[in-house]
Amino acid sequence: MNRIIKFYHECGSPPSFYRITGHWLRPMFWLALTLSIYGLIDGLFLAPEDYQQGDSYRIIFVHVPAAWMSLFIYAIIGIAGIMTFVWRMKVAEAVMMASVPIGALFTAVTLLTGMLWGKPMWGTYWDWDARMTSELILLFLYIGVFGIYAAYDEDPRKAARLASLVAIIGLVNLPIIRYSVEWWTSIHQGSSISLMEGSTGIRDWDMLRPLLVMALATKFYFIYSMLSRARIYLLRTEKQKQWVQKAVLGAQPSGGAS
């Protein structure tokens, strides 16, 4: 327990966070790349054809993991926002703002692939369905968090606190997205994974395997991209600190600094 607490406090310190996470970047990148290649080949070419949707269902191997990530990343942003607003942790600020563009990207992919899937399945690219509309609102929330921060970028600490308020308020949208197909009449299908008989979820392992692999791949990609961005954020906002000078000089080849 003491080691866990010590690790938590170390990660809360910008120089320790920068140093520790530097060792994670390469493994996260290669895991994300390897799993993405395997998952896409397995899902797009090797998985069996769906008996109702045919080959058009294969877009779920991109759409569903992206949708899961759009919610997961916003939850991370909301938690980091609480830590930023209450305890003013610089590392939490870095994680929050580093996560925003990644989450917005996954949300945009979710909406785009959902529209491409919707046309052959439902006969329309877009319907003001509860799930679709709440996912669109999620994209606006990502944009809102980034926009608020950018409006006060001359004072990063103030900008991060104001952006955290938007992030915290937006958490209310997550359960709405998750349960929208149950709370309201919806053309959108229910959960994509279910082990219960009579459900519409995927139970065939040959279809489920690439979906789970892609879910893991997107998680590793998020960790890699978020940590890379968070480290840059800390270097920029802490540029006057001595640890940044040492980190930058230490990253240069010998003889590169005069």
Side-chain angles (χ1 to χ4, degrees):
M1 180 62 71
N2 290 334
R3 289 183 178 180
I4 296 176
I5 295 174
K6 181 181 178 181
F7 179 75
Y8 170 79
H9 284 292
E10 283 185 350
C11 286
S13 167
S16 296
F17 177 88
Y18 186 88
R19 174 179 52 82
I20 293 171
T21 56
H23 301 295
W24 299 356
L25 296 180
R26 185 170 295 178
M28 293 299 106
F29 172 80
W30 285 111
L31 281 170
L33 181 62
T34 303
L35 290 175
S36 294
I37 293 173
Y38 174 80
L40 288 173
I41 292 175
D42 195 13
L44 298 180
F45 301 104
L46 304 180
E49 181 179 302
D50 184 76
Y51 77 100
Q52 287 183 319
Q53 302 180 36
D55 284 326
S56 62
Y57 91 98
R58 296 182 190 278
I59 202 169
I60 71 169
F61 299 118
V62 175
H63 174 75
V64 173
W68 289 343
M69 289 303 296
S70 70
L71 301 180
F72 173 77
I73 295 175
Y74 197 90
I76 296 294
I77 291 173
I79 294 170
I82 293 172
M83 298 172 72
T84 296
F85 188 79
V86 176
W87 294 291
R88 303 190 181 187
M89 293 179 61
K90 288 186 178 180
V91 170
E93 293 177 15
V95 170
M96 177 179 69
M97 296 314 304
S99 300
V100 170
I102 311 169
L105 174 63
F106 276 114
T107 306
V109 170
T110 300
L111 291 169
L112 178 61
T113 54
M115 292 168 65
L116 294 175
W117 189 9
K119 181 61 176 178
M121 292 301 102
W122 309 320
T124 180
Y125 287 111
W126 184 264
D127 184 90
W128 291 101
D129 165 272
R131 173 64 63 82
M132 299 179 192
T133 305
S134 54
E135 187 74 16
L136 179 62
I137 291 172
L138 183 64
L139 179 60
F140 292 153
L141 285 168
Y142 277 115
I143 295 172
V145 173
F146 183 81
I148 290 293
Y149 182 85
Y152 295 90
D153 62 350
E154 294 181 359
D155 185 352
R157 304 306 304 280
K158 179 180 179 180
R161 292 198 75 207
L162 292 174
S164 69
L165 282 176
V166 179
I168 294 168
I169 294 170
L171 287 172
V172 72
N173 192 45
L174 299 188
I176 294 176
I177 296 174
R178 171 63 180 83
Y179 296 106
S180 56
V181 295
E182 300 174 19
W183 292 347
W184 294 283
T185 302
S186 174
I187 65 173
H188 198 285
Q189 72 178 61
S191 176
S192 297
I193 296 179
S194 179
L195 301 179
M196 299 178 63
E197 291 295 332
S199 69
T200 59
I202 296 174
R203 296 191 301 275
D204 187 320
W205 175 245
D206 288 333
M207 296 180 177
L208 189 58
R209 181 182 59 248
L211 189 60
L212 296 178
V213 169
M214 288 300 297
L216 280 176
T218 52
K219 294 291 190 302
F220 286 126
Y221 168 76
F222 165 69
I223 295 172
Y224 165 75
S225 185
M226 181 272 290
L227 291 180
S228 299
R229 293 171 181 273
R231 283 159 57 86
I232 294 172
Y233 179 96
L234 289 174
L235 289 179
R236 180 170 62 86
T237 57
E238 298 257 295
K239 59 186 176 182
Q240 302 301 329
K241 299 294 181 66
Q242 187 176 5
W243 76 265
V244 174
Q245 306 300 323
K246 291 181 178 180
V248 172
L249 292 175
Q252 293 180 357
S254 59
S258 57

